[in-house]
Amino acid sequence: MVKKTAPAAPNADEGAADTKSARTRQRILDAAANVLSRKGYAGTRLSEVADIADLQTPAIYYYFPSRDDLVEEVMWSGIAGLKEEVTAVLADLPADTPPIERIMVAVETHLRHELEVSDYATASIRNSGQIPEKMRTRQKEEDSAYGRIWRELFDDAAAAGDLHPELHPVIAQMLVVGALNWAAEWWSRSRGSLDDVVRNAQLMIRNGLSPDRG
Protein backbone atom coordinates (compact mmCIF):
# COMPACT_ATOMS: atom_id res chain seq x y z
CA MET A 1 0.00 0.00 0.00
CA VAL A 2 1.20 3.50 -0.76
CA LYS A 3 2.62 5.37 2.19
CA LYS A 4 0.39 8.31 3.03
CA THR A 5 0.69 11.30 5.22
CA ALA A 6 -1.17 11.05 8.49
CA PRO A 7 -2.88 14.36 9.20
CA ALA A 8 -4.15 15.10 12.66
CA ALA A 9 -7.34 13.28 13.46
CA PRO A 10 -10.38 15.38 14.35
CA ASN A 11 -10.24 15.97 18.09
CA ALA A 12 -13.41 15.36 20.07
CA ASP A 13 -12.17 18.01 22.53
CA GLU A 14 -11.90 21.11 20.36
CA GLY A 15 -10.48 23.09 23.27
CA ALA A 16 -7.50 20.79 23.76
CA ALA A 17 -4.30 22.79 24.15
CA ASP A 18 -1.32 22.22 21.89
CA THR A 19 0.78 20.87 24.73
CA LYS A 20 3.57 18.34 24.66
CA SER A 21 1.10 15.78 26.00
CA ALA A 22 -1.40 16.56 23.23
CA ARG A 23 1.32 16.25 20.59
CA THR A 24 2.43 12.90 22.01
CA ARG A 25 -1.15 11.65 21.98
CA GLN A 26 -1.47 12.73 18.37
CA ARG A 27 1.78 10.94 17.50
CA ILE A 28 0.38 7.74 18.98
CA LEU A 29 -2.83 8.11 16.97
CA ASP A 30 -0.90 8.76 13.76
CA ALA A 31 1.23 5.69 14.35
CA ALA A 32 -1.79 3.54 15.16
CA ALA A 33 -3.58 4.72 12.01
CA ASN A 34 -0.53 3.76 9.96
CA VAL A 35 -0.30 0.26 11.44
CA LEU A 36 -4.05 -0.35 11.37
CA SER A 37 -4.29 0.75 7.73
CA ARG A 38 -1.60 -1.75 6.72
CA LYS A 39 -2.04 -4.72 9.05
CA GLY A 40 -5.65 -4.64 10.11
CA TYR A 41 -7.23 -4.97 13.53
CA ALA A 42 -5.88 -8.44 14.26
CA GLY A 43 -2.38 -7.50 13.19
CA THR A 44 -2.10 -4.22 15.07
CA ARG A 45 0.38 -4.48 17.93
CA LEU A 46 1.01 -1.74 20.44
CA SER A 47 4.71 -2.52 20.32
CA GLU A 48 4.82 -1.54 16.64
CA VAL A 49 2.70 1.54 17.30
CA ALA A 50 5.14 2.55 20.04
CA ASP A 51 8.15 2.01 17.75
CA ILE A 52 6.67 4.27 15.04
CA ALA A 53 5.68 6.88 17.64
CA ASP A 54 9.18 6.68 19.18
CA LEU A 55 7.85 5.71 22.60
CA GLN A 56 8.05 2.87 25.04
CA THR A 57 4.98 0.65 24.80
CA PRO A 58 3.79 1.27 28.40
CA ALA A 59 3.64 5.01 27.66
CA ILE A 60 0.65 4.41 25.38
CA TYR A 61 -1.48 3.42 28.37
CA TYR A 62 -1.09 6.90 29.80
CA TYR A 63 -3.15 8.20 26.87
CA PHE A 64 -5.35 5.20 26.03
CA PRO A 65 -6.61 2.65 28.59
CA SER A 66 -6.35 -0.22 26.11
CA ARG A 67 -5.47 -1.20 22.56
CA ASP A 68 -9.14 -1.23 21.68
CA ASP A 69 -9.64 2.32 22.97
CA LEU A 70 -6.83 3.45 20.67
CA VAL A 71 -8.23 1.56 17.69
CA GLU A 72 -11.73 2.92 18.35
CA GLU A 73 -10.40 6.48 18.27
CA VAL A 74 -8.62 5.88 14.98
CA MET A 75 -11.72 4.31 13.43
CA TRP A 76 -13.93 7.23 14.41
CA SER A 77 -11.34 9.78 13.30
CA GLY A 78 -11.03 8.15 9.87
CA ILE A 79 -14.67 8.58 8.94
CA ALA A 80 -14.97 11.95 10.67
CA GLY A 81 -12.01 13.29 8.72
CA LEU A 82 -13.32 11.93 5.42
CA LYS A 83 -16.73 13.46 6.06
CA GLU A 84 -15.20 16.83 6.91
CA GLU A 85 -13.03 16.82 3.78
CA VAL A 86 -15.87 15.95 1.39
CA THR A 87 -18.19 18.44 3.09
CA ALA A 88 -15.63 21.23 2.79
CA VAL A 89 -14.85 20.55 -0.88
CA LEU A 90 -18.54 20.43 -1.82
CA ALA A 91 -19.19 23.66 0.10
CA ASP A 92 -16.54 25.43 -1.98
CA LEU A 93 -18.23 24.59 -5.29
CA PRO A 94 -20.21 27.30 -7.08
CA ALA A 95 -23.88 27.24 -6.16
CA ASP A 96 -24.90 26.46 -9.75
CA THR A 97 -22.73 23.32 -10.03
CA PRO A 98 -24.92 20.59 -11.60
CA PRO A 99 -25.78 17.72 -9.22
CA ILE A 100 -23.98 15.11 -11.35
CA GLU A 101 -20.81 17.22 -11.26
CA ARG A 102 -21.07 17.46 -7.48
CA ILE A 103 -21.13 13.67 -7.39
CA MET A 104 -18.00 13.56 -9.56
CA VAL A 105 -16.22 15.94 -7.19
CA ALA A 106 -17.26 13.82 -4.21
CA VAL A 107 -15.95 10.70 -5.98
CA GLU A 108 -12.55 12.27 -6.53
CA THR A 109 -12.31 13.71 -3.03
CA HIS A 110 -13.26 10.40 -1.42
CA LEU A 111 -10.72 8.42 -3.44
CA ARG A 112 -7.84 10.83 -2.93
CA HIS A 113 -8.48 11.15 0.80
CA GLU A 114 -8.84 7.39 1.23
CA LEU A 115 -5.91 6.31 -0.92
CA GLU A 116 -3.39 9.14 -0.74
CA VAL A 117 -4.06 11.55 2.09
CA SER A 118 -5.17 9.80 5.25
CA ASP A 119 -4.09 6.61 6.99
CA TYR A 120 -7.05 7.21 9.28
CA ALA A 121 -9.57 6.92 6.45
CA THR A 122 -7.88 3.83 5.03
CA ALA A 123 -7.77 2.20 8.47
CA SER A 124 -11.42 2.95 9.15
CA ILE A 125 -12.64 1.73 5.77
CA ARG A 126 -10.53 -1.45 5.71
CA ASN A 127 -11.31 -2.49 9.28
CA SER A 128 -14.97 -1.60 9.57
CA GLY A 129 -16.01 -5.24 9.40
CA GLN A 130 -13.17 -6.53 11.58
CA ILE A 131 -13.52 -4.72 14.87
CA PRO A 132 -15.98 -5.84 17.56
CA GLU A 133 -19.43 -4.30 17.27
CA LYS A 134 -19.15 -2.66 20.70
CA MET A 135 -16.27 -0.54 19.35
CA ARG A 136 -18.23 0.80 16.38
CA THR A 137 -20.76 3.11 18.06
CA ARG A 138 -19.08 6.42 17.22
CA GLN A 139 -17.83 5.20 13.87
CA LYS A 140 -21.33 4.08 12.84
CA GLU A 141 -22.73 7.48 13.79
CA GLU A 142 -20.16 9.15 11.54
CA ASP A 143 -20.86 6.59 8.81
CA SER A 144 -24.53 7.54 8.94
CA ALA A 145 -23.73 11.25 8.82
CA TYR A 146 -21.39 10.71 5.88
CA GLY A 147 -24.00 8.59 4.13
CA ARG A 148 -26.48 11.45 4.42
CA ILE A 149 -24.12 13.66 2.40
CA TRP A 150 -24.14 11.12 -0.43
CA ARG A 151 -27.91 10.60 -0.08
CA GLU A 152 -28.47 14.29 -0.67
CA LEU A 153 -26.15 14.26 -3.69
CA PHE A 154 -28.05 11.40 -5.28
CA ASP A 155 -31.48 12.79 -4.38
CA ASP A 156 -30.52 16.10 -5.98
CA ALA A 157 -29.25 14.32 -9.09
CA ALA A 158 -32.48 12.34 -9.36
CA ALA A 159 -34.57 15.49 -8.98
CA ALA A 160 -32.53 17.20 -11.69
CA GLY A 161 -33.02 14.29 -14.10
CA ASP A 162 -29.34 13.34 -13.96
CA LEU A 163 -30.04 9.70 -13.02
CA HIS A 164 -31.43 6.97 -15.22
CA PRO A 165 -35.14 6.61 -14.33
CA GLU A 166 -34.75 2.89 -13.57
CA LEU A 167 -32.10 3.54 -10.93
CA HIS A 168 -33.07 3.60 -7.26
CA PRO A 169 -31.08 6.56 -5.81
CA VAL A 170 -30.37 4.87 -2.47
CA ILE A 171 -29.25 1.59 -4.02
CA ALA A 172 -27.15 3.41 -6.59
CA GLN A 173 -25.55 5.50 -3.84
CA MET A 174 -24.68 2.44 -1.75
CA LEU A 175 -23.16 0.65 -4.75
CA VAL A 176 -21.05 3.68 -5.69
CA VAL A 177 -19.71 4.33 -2.19
CA GLY A 178 -19.08 0.63 -1.70
CA ALA A 179 -17.00 0.53 -4.88
CA LEU A 180 -15.02 3.59 -3.79
CA ASN A 181 -14.30 2.00 -0.42
CA TRP A 182 -13.19 -1.25 -2.03
CA ALA A 183 -10.38 0.59 -3.80
CA ALA A 184 -8.52 0.60 -0.47
CA GLU A 185 -8.26 -3.18 -0.72
CA TRP A 186 -6.77 -3.49 -4.18
CA TRP A 187 -5.10 -0.28 -5.30
CA SER A 188 -1.35 0.25 -5.37
CA ARG A 189 0.75 2.42 -7.65
CA SER A 190 1.78 -0.70 -9.56
CA ARG A 191 -1.83 -0.92 -10.77
CA GLY A 192 -1.80 2.60 -12.19
CA SER A 193 -1.67 6.17 -10.98
CA LEU A 194 -4.24 7.58 -8.62
CA ASP A 195 -5.22 10.00 -11.37
CA ASP A 196 -6.08 6.97 -13.53
CA VAL A 197 -8.19 5.50 -10.74
CA VAL A 198 -10.09 8.77 -10.32
CA ARG A 199 -10.69 9.15 -14.06
CA ASN A 200 -11.89 5.57 -14.45
CA ALA A 201 -14.17 5.83 -11.44
CA GLN A 202 -15.71 9.06 -12.65
CA LEU A 203 -16.19 7.73 -16.18
CA MET A 204 -17.86 4.51 -15.01
CA ILE A 205 -20.06 6.24 -12.46
CA ARG A 206 -21.09 9.07 -14.79
CA ASN A 207 -21.99 6.63 -17.59
CA GLY A 208 -23.65 4.21 -15.20
CA LEU A 209 -25.89 6.87 -13.71
CA SER A 210 -26.64 8.78 -16.92
CA PRO A 211 -30.24 8.79 -18.15
CA ASP A 212 -28.81 8.85 -21.72
CA ARG A 213 -26.91 5.56 -21.56
CA GLY A 214 -27.77 3.05 -24.27
Side-chain angles (χ1 to χ4, degrees):
M1 175 171 292
V2 63
K3 179 176 175 57
K4 299 184 290 297
T5 56
N11 197 320
D13 180 7
E14 294 182 357
D18 185 21
T19 62
K20 180 179 178 181
S21 177
R23 291 192 298 271
T24 301
R25 184 180 187 275
Q26 190 61 59
R27 204 162 73 242
I28 294 169
L29 281 167
D30 290 348
N34 178 276
V35 176
L36 191 63
S37 70
R38 293 183 291 107
K39 298 192 172 181
Y41 175 68
T44 295
R45 301 286 181 266
L46 289 185
S47 57
E48 184 174 359
V49 173
D51 285 343
I52 294 174
D54 196 23
L55 296 168
Q56 297 296 315
T57 302
I60 294 176
Y61 292 103
Y62 176 80
Y63 300 92
F64 299 94
S66 70
R67 169 181 174 269
D68 281 356
D69 285 294
L70 175 57
V71 169
E72 191 272 344
E73 182 75 10
V74 170
M75 296 290 289
W76 170 78
S77 297
I79 295 300
L82 178 59
K83 183 191 73 175
E84 288 183 3
E85 177 71 8
V86 172
T87 299
V89 171
L90 290 174
D92 283 342
L93 293 175
D96 59 352
T97 303
I100 191 64
E101 299 306 328
R102 292 176 62 83
I103 291 176
M104 295 302 107
V105 170
V107 166
E108 178 171 8
T109 305
H110 182 110
L111 283 172
R112 292 192 184 279
H113 192 83
E114 166 194 6
L115 300 177
E116 186 174 56
V117 173
S118 174
D119 284 327
Y120 289 87
T122 308
S124 188
I125 289 168
R126 297 192 73 198
N127 291 280
S128 183
Q130 297 183 29
I131 64 172
E133 189 65 24
K134 64 181 181 181
M135 294 169 56
R136 293 198 59 211
T137 301
R138 287 200 302 161
Q139 183 209 6
K140 288 173 72 174
E141 290 174 354
E142 287 298 313
D143 271 333
S144 295
Y146 186 49
R148 287 193 291 273
I149 295 171
W150 284 91
R151 186 71 47 81
E152 183 176 349
L153 289 172
F154 273 72
D155 285 346
D156 288 348
D162 287 344
L163 300 188
H164 192 283
E166 294 182 13
L167 285 176
H168 189 295
V170 175
I171 295 174
Q173 168 216 329
M174 297 296 287
L175 288 170
V176 166
V177 177
L180 299 179
N181 287 342
W182 184 247
E185 297 291 343
W186 60 262
W187 181 72
S188 67
R189 294 201 183 276
S190 65
R191 292 179 177 268
S193 72
L194 183 52
D195 288 343
D196 287 338
V197 174
V198 170
R199 280 194 296 268
N200 276 268
Q202 290 176 326
L203 181 63
M204 292 177 65
I205 292 168
R206 185 190 297 275
N207 288 339
L209 297 179
S210 173
D212 300 322
R213 70 178 190 263

